[in-house]
């Protein structure tokens, strides 16, 4: 039985985990850096511990300080949230060694999942379909050129240790391989301290569709349907929704079964996400397994009514899943917009500052998970996520209309602060998105004002950033109107 849980995270996810703990009667230990002394999670915590200065390395990534905080506060479990230490097997191991239940998969399992190329191999063994590519590291540029030629261009070079959309380069043609290979290795080394890269065929016109799985420590696994996260910029998700307009019930069941089979085959336990690409013929390809709760998990909670954090905690404590596959029902449609403190007019540059005014939406079937209160400071030390706005509707058009309404309620004031709320409204109103016909190239195409004009999406993907001034002005005006 977990009695007192330390949340090793900050912002909206710390608050979200704290809320479920309180509903379950579990005491909350919150940790914070000196930059987060006014975090909303602190009001819900039974105890708060300062774990260091603002730099994440010295606080939210500081394993000794976090474990010491857990010891001092008498916690018996740790929830890592997402990002920071959530997929660090050393952290899971140290927690376990100190008698703390780690809310996530076993450290040995997590260690194997850290290398995306290795996971490709594991999933191939479990019979999951993969795009052509390598399961071993590509050690030299000559090897890479040879393999890329075999696979056929475009290809994507990926850092084996990568995540968060970083450490990936799309290569449209052989002439660009050499430079892309060296650049990806260098950035992989700089960001992840591991320059290992592997190759995959780049699937043009794909949708990003991920399956939420839950597995317990008794060999049971279920899936809770999919989230479509094709609205991305620089491989980072901006909007997520369920169900996906590209899936029908048969494909959902097929992908769900494959996802559960893959997760169970590696001894996974807890909440996990199996990410796939789906082509326009409904063929799907495994991409990666995320061993954590994800930013976009509320979308699934909205359409299934299942509290994923509660299931994570239950499973970590050794209990079986509280529901079986036949009890999972997907109802209506849900969509999430990530409202970031960023300026869409300046290539989405972060805009830190003090939130002098922060009005967030409310209303029927409208959930807002925010990491800030009015008067809080958005710190340049952390990610720029201000709030997630998640809505549910009986069908997709109703959910989109509800989201549009919710976005108009956002008012953010603060010197220098912009938000992506206006950008999201432009996405929702775009005919291609509204029709559910968008692909992973949608945002690049929308920003470039090239929608519907043909051209090579891989080329565009590779050269993201070329943005037509007229479209951008429209978005900035919209954002200003909303945030003014
Ligand atoms: P990360 O771990 O950094 O999130 P992923 O492997 O999940 O990286 O990929 C992020 C995004 O990059 C995908 O959602 C997709 O848009 C794009 N992507 C990755 N691999 C491919 C591929 N082989 N073909 C087309 N797009 C891809």
């Amino acid at each position: 039985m977990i009695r007192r849980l330390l949340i090793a995270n900050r912002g909206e996810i710390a608050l979200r985990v704290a809320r479920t703990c309180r509903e379950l009667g579990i005491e909350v230990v919150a940790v914070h850096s000196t930059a987060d002394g006014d975090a909303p999670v602190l009001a819900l915590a039974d105890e708060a511990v300062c774990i260091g200065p603002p730099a994440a390395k010295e606080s939210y990534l500081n394993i000794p300080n976090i474990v010491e905080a857990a010891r001092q506060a008498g916690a018996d479990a740790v929830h890592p949230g997402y990002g920071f230490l959530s997929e660090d097997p050393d952290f899971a191991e140290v927690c376990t060694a100190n008698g703390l239940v780690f809310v996530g998969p076993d450290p040995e399992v997590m260690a194997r999942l850290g290398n995306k190329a290795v996971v490709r191999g594991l999933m191939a063994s479990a019979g999951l379909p993969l795009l052509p590519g390598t399961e071993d590291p590509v050690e030299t540029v000559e090897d890479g050129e040879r393999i890329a030629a075999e696979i056929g261009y475009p290809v994507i070079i990926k850092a084996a240790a990568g995540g968060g959309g970083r450490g990936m380069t799309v290569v449209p043609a052989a002439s660009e391989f050499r430079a892309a290979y060296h650049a990806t290795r260098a950035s992989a080394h700089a960001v992840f301290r591991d320059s290992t890269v592997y190759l995959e065929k780049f699937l043009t016109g794909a949708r990003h569709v991920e399956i939420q799985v839950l597995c317990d420590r008794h060999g049971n696994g279920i899936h809770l349907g999919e989230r479509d996260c094709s609205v991305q910029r620089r491989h980072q998700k901006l909007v997520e929704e369920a169900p996906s307009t590209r899936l029908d019930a048969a494909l959902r069941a097929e992908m769900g079964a494959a996802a559960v089979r893959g997760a169970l085959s590696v001894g996974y336990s807890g909440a996990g996400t199996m990410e796939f690409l789906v082509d326009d013929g409904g063929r799907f390809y495994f991409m990666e397994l995320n061993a954590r709760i994800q930013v976009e998990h509320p979308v699934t909670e909205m359409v299934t009514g299942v509290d994923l954090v509660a299931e994570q905690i239950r499973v970590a404590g050794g209990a079986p899943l509280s529901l079986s596959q036949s009890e999972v029902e997907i109802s209506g449609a849900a969509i999430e917009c990530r409202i970031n403190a960023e300026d869409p007019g300046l290539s989405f540059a972060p805009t830190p500052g003090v939130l002098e005014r922060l009005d967030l939406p409310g209303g029927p079937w409208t959930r807002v998970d925010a990491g800030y209160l009015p008067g809080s400071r958005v710190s340049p030390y952390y990610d720029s996520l201000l709030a997630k706005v998640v809505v549910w509707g009986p069908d997709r058009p109703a959910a989109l209309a509800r989201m549009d309404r919710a976005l108009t309620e956002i008012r953010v004031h603060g010197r220098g602060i912009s938000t992506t709320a206006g950008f999201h409204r432009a996405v929702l109103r775009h005919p291609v998105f509204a029709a559910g016909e968008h692909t992973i190239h949608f945002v690049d195409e929308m920003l470039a004002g090239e929608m519907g004009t043909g051209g090579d999406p891989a080329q565009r993907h590779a050269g993201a950033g070329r943005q037509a001034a007229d479209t951008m002005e429209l978005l900035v005006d919209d954002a200003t109107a909303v945030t003014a």
Side-chain angles (χ1 to χ4, degrees):
M1 261 300 271
I2 293 172
R3 201 183 43 80
R4 195 168 166 90
L5 180 142
L6 179 142
I7 303 168
N9 215 299
R10 63 176 301 282
E12 67 86 19
I13 192 63
L15 183 59
R16 190 262 166 273
V17 173
R19 284 175 164 149
T20 284
C21 287
R22 291 184 70 113
E23 290 172 18
L24 296 176
I26 296 172
E27 291 168 4
V28 172
V29 179
V31 296
H32 64 92
S33 72
T34 51
D36 281 335
D38 58 357
V41 67
L42 302 182
L44 289 195
D46 295 280
E47 188 167 345
V49 185
C50 180
I51 48 166
K57 230 169 44 192
E58 297 177 56
S59 49
Y60 299 104
L61 292 172
N62 187 329
I63 296 178
N65 282 12
I66 293 172
V67 172
E68 177 56 21
R71 198 192 59 76
Q72 264 180 29
D76 50 21
V78 172
H79 193 301
Y82 55 68
F84 295 125
L85 296 169
S86 60
E87 291 178 277
D88 182 337
D90 293 339
F91 181 54
E93 178 77 59
V94 171
C95 286
T96 311
N98 280 274
L100 298 163
V101 173
F102 180 78
V103 180
D106 293 338
E108 315 82 72
V109 174
M110 208 191 276
R112 270 193 294 160
L113 300 177
N115 185 311
K116 289 164 64 167
V118 170
V119 177
R120 264 178 70 86
L122 294 171
M123 292 304 152
S125 310
L128 269 65
L130 299 178
L131 285 164
T134 61
E135 278 134 42
D136 296 319
V138 178
E139 308 274 12
T140 66
V141 69
E142 290 78 19
D143 281 351
E145 284 178 318
R146 186 177 45 75
I147 298 165
E150 279 165 27
I151 295 172
Y153 286 91
V155 299
I156 182 165
I157 307 175
K158 293 189 178 185
R166 295 162 83 188
M168 280 185 289
T169 313
V170 181
V171 190
S175 58
E176 295 180 39
F177 188 88
R178 203 160 264 267
Y181 176 85
H182 293 304
T184 312
R185 279 186 80 105
S187 83
H189 179 73
V191 181
F192 306 108
R193 299 266 148 243
D194 179 352
S195 60
T196 311
V197 296
Y198 66 105
L199 282 185
E200 237 173 55
K201 172 90 186 157
F202 182 78
L203 189 64
T204 303
R207 295 280 280 255
H208 172 117
V209 179
E210 57 187 36
I211 305 282
Q212 177 70 55
V213 298
L214 281 173
C215 303
D216 63 21
R217 296 179 189 282
H218 308 278
N220 304 305
I222 60 171
H223 74 88
L224 292 97
E226 79 280 12
R227 293 182 291 261
D228 189 315
C229 314
S230 303
V231 178
Q232 307 178 347
R233 184 178 164 274
R234 297 197 172 154
H235 310 300
Q236 287 171 0
K237 300 160 188 168
L238 298 170
V239 177
E240 303 96 349
E241 63 176 317
S244 168
T245 54
R246 200 170 266 192
L247 265 58
D248 58 17
L251 183 52
R252 177 169 305 116
E254 196 189 338
M255 288 180 69
V260 170
R261 190 170 73 240
L264 289 178
S265 77
V266 293
Y268 197 83
S269 64
T273 300
M274 297 282 284
E275 295 191 334
F276 296 91
L277 291 171
V278 180
D279 71 14
D280 52 12
R283 280 172 296 264
F284 62 93
Y285 306 93
F286 171 79
M287 203 165 35
E288 69 164 331
L289 166 49
N290 287 320
R292 59 167 191 273
I293 193 81
Q294 283 191 287
V295 176
E296 60 272 24
H297 76 276
V299 167
T300 300
E301 296 184 326
M302 290 293 237
V303 293
T304 60
V306 175
D307 180 331
L308 291 171
V309 172
E311 289 301 319
Q312 280 190 301
I313 293 173
R314 194 169 283 134
V315 164
L321 292 174
S322 75
L323 74 170
S324 64
Q325 190 66 60
S326 61
E327 289 170 293
V328 176
E329 257 181 67
I330 292 159
S331 143
I335 178 165
E336 169 179 287
C337 290
R338 300 188 188 193
I339 310 300
N340 294 335
E342 292 172 0
D343 187 345
L346 286 175
S347 294
F348 293 79
T351 58
V354 175
L355 294 162
E356 281 149 27
R357 180 174 176 186
L358 176 67
D359 298 355
L360 294 170
W365 293 285
T366 306
R367 166 175 170 180
V368 179
D369 284 13
Y372 296 91
L373 296 168
S376 306
R377 175 181 291 278
V378 181
S379 163
Y381 286 98
Y382 314 116
D383 69 34
S384 52
L385 181 64
L386 273 185
K388 305 186 306 204
V389 177
V390 195
V391 303
W392 179 89
D395 56 25
R396 188 172 188 264
L400 297 192
R402 179 160 284 144
M403 179 60 86
D404 191 60
R405 183 273 301 161
L407 292 175
T408 61
E409 294 180 21
I410 297 178
R411 296 278 182 284
V412 178
H413 276 295
R415 221 169 126 174
I417 296 191
S418 299
T419 81
T420 51
F423 166 81
H424 283 294
R425 290 194 72 203
V427 170
L428 293 182
R429 287 159 176 227
H430 198 288
V432 172
F433 179 78
E437 286 166 2
H438 56 293
T439 70
I440 52 169
H441 315 292
F442 171 74
V443 173
D444 287 348
E445 291 171 339
M446 181 176 127
L447 293 178
E450 289 176 11
M451 197 67 78
T453 58
D456 176 4
Q459 191 73 47
R460 229 171 8 245
H461 217 102
R466 282 177 272 126
Q467 295 156 356
D470 53 342
T471 315
M472 287 315 298
E473 258 163 40
L474 191 145
L475 295 179
V476 176
D477 282 345
D478 207 353
T480 314
V482 173
T483 56

